[in-house]
Amino acid sequence: MALPACAARALGPPLQPERGAPARTTCPRRHSRVEAELAGSRPGSVAASVRAGPPRGVSRGFNSQPLLDEPLKASSSPAGAARTPLFALLPRGRRRRMHDLRRRWDLGSLCRALLTRGLAALGHSLKHVLGAIFSKIFGPLASVGNMDEKSNKLLLALVMLFLFAVIVLQYVCPGTECQLLRLQAFSSPMPDPYRSEDESSARFVPRYNFSRGDLLRKVDFDIKGDDLIVFLHIQKTGGTTFGRHLVRNIQLEQPCECRVGQKKCTCHRPGKRETWLFSRFSTGWSCGLHADWTELTSCVPAVVDGKRDARLRPSRNFHYITILRDPVSRYLSEWRHVQRGATWKASLHVCDGRPPTSEELPSCYTGDDWSGCPLKEFMDCPYNLANNRQVRMLSDLTLVGCYNLSVMPEKQRNKVLLESAKSNLKHMAFFGLTEFQRKTQYLFEKTFNMNFISPFTQYNTTRASSVEINEEIQKRIEGLNFLDMELYSYAKDLFLQRYQFMRQKEHQEARQKRQEQRKFLKGRFLQTHFQSQGQGQSQNPSQNQSQNPNLNVNQNVTQNLIQNLTQNLSHKENRESQKQNPGQEQSDGNTSNGTNDYIGSVEKWR
């Protein structure tokens, strides 16, 4: 079947297939498609330009004539006449695909055009806004020269200055921590230095009235003498951490010698082969594992001076210290420790010269240890020494017949134990609280005049804090440790009052020292001024008398000022001598003002 006449005229002479091309077929439709493909393979042909589509960046828009399924009418131009029958020869599916491709091409071009124009309009408006702002701020500069050029230069200068500041900040303070601190300094107010570690306000309402002697704890501890610090270590109160601070973290003339792999350290006095610290990490458990107040008061003197003759024993001062903890947290921590296999079987519990019998102190378990015991079983044992442990270890057990519960009624026994523990705690040289590590460090340094090398760290996440208990179990634990709860409340009140008293006393001493320094400098200035003036008057006495008839009055004033200055200097020397002798009554009178102010503030808080 021959081609139509219009197609023959458009294609011209028949195309000869190239070598290797498919042979001519008798199917008209397939023959037309092969002819179109051969014509499109030639460079510069019309079919090639149609298949390639519009050039990049050129769009015919939505108003261009679509490719319809019907044959297009022949145009009057030769190009149109040649293009119309060629599109008519293409298959219908291919014409639809070419039509969809052109529509997508036009949509992409439209989106790019809209985006470009939008960004240009936004930049133009932003330029005008910045120009208006700079014209308001830098009016005199904007009136000279071209505003757009000046605004661009000023904006560039500001950007360069910002980048330079960022680079300098990175060199001065690398990392993000310092930058975050600076941002917090701008966004949040300065923290309160009196804020406590447990995020509660340190300005509390005191419950107990304490005298000045109870609040002011200043121990005249001479490490070169014969005095001894005795650490009473109660289980699960953070005593291990505090004990390590005592042997590894104190600034001393002769530090403790701690060897790798050994728990005990050698803490000798300067120039002597004698220890100044009686604790787990210096002398070991010399009086038994976790010896209590009753054991230590009778054991320590015998251990320290047992080998000496009674006539050659020095008169020592034993300064007892300890650490307390919240009773519920301490109880849960001990339970978890017992679960891991702790027994404390090496504890002697010596009282009145003998350990308790098995009837006086029965055991809560039958095996080698109590590992894996649940909390309910731990609480159900009536002989569990974890109940009210802090009161029992701080009280004098000889007052209640040691571990013999038949000596007095239980209510009377509990009352005696609690009062004894409070009295011993109040008269101790120092005690700290696990929940207030920084305040504990501060009070120890002020009490013994010994400074730590590095600050204490407050650990709010412990094994006890990981135990989740409901309100019922917490109430039961508080009931089992009701004596410890009362003792801890008393100790916390005394501890915080001591801290506030020492801080106020420190501030008053610093203020008084600054006032004395200002008075001394002012007196020196007046003294040198009047002396130079007196020398000038003595050189020309007749001239000065003729010029200044009130010379005698000025000389009297000068003499009075000099007398006042000498009196102030003498008072200062007296105060310095009184500070060197704090045992005198005058020094107590000087510091009584701070005490009265603090006690007065306590009454106001009430």
Side-chain angles (χ1 to χ4, degrees):
M1 182 177 179
L3 293 173
C6 60
R9 287 196 302 269
L11 294 175
L15 299 173
Q16 297 297 330
E18 297 178 0
R19 182 175 298 178
R24 184 182 299 272
T25 179
T26 57
C27 179
R29 187 168 182 175
R30 186 174 182 182
H31 173 71
S32 301
R33 186 163 53 207
V34 171
E35 293 288 347
E37 291 177 357
L38 291 175
S41 63
R42 296 177 180 177
S45 62
V46 179
S49 63
V50 172
R51 185 168 57 249
R56 177 175 292 181
V58 178
S59 176
R60 291 193 175 93
F62 286 105
N63 295 326
S64 60
Q65 190 175 5
L67 295 174
L68 302 177
D69 295 340
E70 294 79 332
L72 298 178
K73 294 182 179 180
S75 177
S76 59
S77 61
R83 184 165 54 247
T84 301
L86 185 61
F87 283 124
L89 294 176
L90 295 177
R92 181 178 297 180
R94 188 164 184 176
R95 279 183 289 174
R96 287 184 179 276
R97 288 196 296 272
M98 291 181 67
H99 180 63
D100 295 337
L101 179 63
R102 175 169 290 185
R103 293 195 59 174
R104 287 196 296 270
W105 184 279
D106 293 339
L107 284 175
S109 300
L110 179 63
C111 292
R112 285 194 297 271
L114 291 177
L115 182 61
T116 303
R117 292 182 180 182
L119 291 177
L122 181 61
H124 187 69
S125 60
L126 183 61
K127 184 177 180 180
H128 281 285
V129 170
L130 292 177
I133 293 174
F134 288 135
S135 64
K136 293 292 184 182
I137 298 176
F138 306 100
L141 294 177
S143 61
V144 182
N146 189 5
M147 175 58 198
D148 295 336
E149 184 179 358
K150 284 188 172 293
S151 61
N152 292 334
K153 290 182 179 180
L154 184 58
L155 182 61
L156 180 61
L158 292 176
V159 172
M160 295 298 294
L161 182 62
F162 175 74
L163 293 177
F164 178 74
V166 171
I167 294 173
V168 170
L169 182 62
Q170 289 293 330
Y171 275 102
V172 173
C173 183
T176 58
E177 182 178 358
C178 187
Q179 298 172 10
L180 292 176
L181 291 177
R182 281 175 168 80
L183 292 175
Q184 291 177 1
F186 283 106
S187 61
S188 60
M190 292 297 293
D192 185 10
Y194 288 94
R195 199 77 176 177
S196 59
E197 288 90 342
D198 60 351
E199 297 300 328
S200 61
S201 178
R203 295 290 182 179
F204 70 105
V205 179
R207 294 178 52 191
Y208 301 91
N209 292 323
F210 296 103
S211 63
R212 176 181 177 274
D214 297 334
L215 299 178
L216 180 60
R217 305 302 294 171
K218 194 119 179 145
V219 176
D220 188 14
F221 178 73
D222 185 11
I223 195 172
K224 297 180 180 180
D226 298 322
D227 296 346
L228 192 68
I229 295 179
V230 182
F231 180 38
L232 196 159
H233 186 178
I234 303 175
Q235 289 94 317
K236 313 312 296 179
T237 58
T240 301
T241 303
F242 184 76
R244 290 196 181 101
H245 281 303
L246 293 178
V247 297
R248 299 176 184 268
N249 194 25
I250 293 186
Q251 296 179 357
L252 297 174
E253 179 182 350
Q254 181 177 343
C256 298
E257 296 180 3
C258 300
R259 299 181 180 179
V260 180
Q262 295 183 0
K263 291 185 177 180
K264 293 195 300 181
C265 302
T266 303
C267 299
H268 286 163
R269 305 179 191 272
K272 296 182 180 179
R273 298 186 60 83
E274 186 181 68
T275 184
W276 57 270
L277 177 65
F278 192 94
S279 70
R280 167 190 178 182
F281 293 105
S282 59
T283 58
W285 304 111
S286 301
C287 293
L289 181 63
H290 290 285
D292 55 19
W293 172 274
T294 307
E295 294 177 286
L296 290 177
T297 52
S298 59
C299 172
V300 172
V303 171
V304 175
D305 299 323
K307 298 181 180 180
R308 296 185 181 182
D309 190 5
R311 295 172 296 179
L312 301 177
R313 293 178 182 175
S315 57
R316 300 179 184 273
N317 292 322
F318 297 97
H319 303 291
Y320 288 88
I321 62 175
T322 190
I323 301 291
L324 297 181
R325 187 180 180 183
D326 176 72
V328 176
S329 299
R330 197 214 64 81
Y331 189 85
L332 291 174
S333 180
E334 182 170 346
W335 165 63
R336 292 294 299 272
H337 198 56
V338 169
Q339 268 193 331
R340 295 190 298 270
T343 59
W344 295 300
K345 290 182 178 181
S347 299
L348 302 178
H349 302 295
V350 175
C351 178
D352 202 9
R354 66 174 183 87
T357 61
S358 58
E359 291 79 11
E360 293 175 343
L361 190 61
S363 178
C364 291
Y365 54 92
T366 56
D368 295 334
D369 53 26
W370 207 6
S371 59
C373 71
L375 181 59
K376 185 178 183 304
E377 182 181 350
F378 189 77
M379 293 187 297
D380 290 340
C381 179
Y383 311 107
N384 194 349
L385 294 179
N387 302 336
N388 297 314
R389 181 181 289 277
Q390 297 182 97
V391 169
R392 190 187 70 256
M393 293 188 67
L394 290 175
S395 61
D396 187 1
L397 296 179
T398 59
L399 301 176
V400 294
C402 297
Y403 294 91
N404 188 2
L405 302 180
S406 62
V407 174
M408 60 180 64
E410 182 180 1
K411 187 175 181 180
Q412 182 182 358
R413 175 187 176 87
N414 294 335
K415 182 179 179 180
V416 173
L417 288 176
L418 181 60
E419 293 300 326
S420 176
K422 288 182 178 180
S423 177
N424 293 335
L425 186 69
K426 183 174 64 175
H427 292 93
M428 273 186 175
F430 163 81
F431 73 90
L433 299 180
T434 308
E435 289 75 18
F436 301 93
Q437 290 292 321
R438 295 295 180 87
K439 292 181 176 62
T440 298
Q441 177 182 357
Y442 175 81
L443 287 179
F444 183 88
E445 292 177 346
K446 295 299 179 182
T447 301
F448 290 96
N449 196 20
M450 302 170 69
N451 297 323
F452 289 97
I453 299 174
S454 60
F456 289 9
T457 304
Q458 183 70 43
Y459 295 102
N460 296 322
T461 302
T462 58
R463 292 188 178 94
S465 62
S466 62
V467 180
E468 296 182 0
I469 57 174
N470 52 30
E471 186 177 358
E472 181 181 358
I473 296 178
Q474 183 173 358
K475 292 294 183 183
R476 185 178 179 187
I477 294 175
E478 292 177 356
L480 293 173
N481 297 272
F482 68 98
L483 296 179
D484 278 5
M485 296 293 294
E486 180 67 24
L487 177 65
Y488 184 78
S489 176
Y490 175 87
K492 184 177 180 180
D493 193 283
L494 177 58
F495 178 84
L496 294 179
Q497 287 198 46
R498 281 181 178 176
Y499 174 76
Q500 289 185 356
F501 178 78
M502 294 299 293
R503 288 298 297 265
Q504 291 185 6
K505 185 174 180 294
E506 183 181 9
H507 293 333
Q508 290 175 358
E509 290 177 353
R511 191 183 306 113
Q512 185 179 3
K513 185 177 180 180
R514 290 194 300 268
Q515 292 176 357
E516 290 179 356
Q517 290 177 354
R518 286 195 294 266
K519 289 180 181 179
F520 179 74
L521 294 176
K522 186 177 180 180
R524 288 286 299 273
F525 173 76
L526 292 175
Q527 185 179 9
T528 54
H529 174 70
F530 288 124
Q531 285 179 357
S532 61
Q533 185 178 2
Q535 291 177 359
Q537 291 175 358
S538 62
Q539 292 177 359
N540 299 318
S542 60
Q543 184 179 359
N544 291 333
Q545 289 179 1
S546 62
Q547 294 179 357
N548 190 3
N550 297 325
L551 181 61
N552 295 329
V553 178
N554 292 334
Q555 290 179 354
N556 293 332
V557 173
T558 303
Q559 292 177 359
N560 292 331
L561 290 174
I562 294 175
Q563 289 179 0
N564 293 332
L565 177 63
T566 55
Q567 289 178 1
N568 291 332
L569 292 175
S570 62
H571 286 312
K572 181 181 178 182
E573 293 176 356
N574 293 331
R575 282 194 292 268
E576 291 178 354
S577 62
Q578 289 171 3
K579 287 181 181 179
Q580 294 176 359
N581 299 321
Q584 296 180 359
E585 297 178 356
Q586 294 180 356
S587 62
D588 296 338
N590 291 333
T591 57
S592 61
N593 295 329
T595 308
N596 295 331
D597 294 341
Y598 177 77
I599 295 176
S601 63
V602 170
E603 296 298 332
K604 290 180 182 179
W605 295 340
R606 291 181 178 280

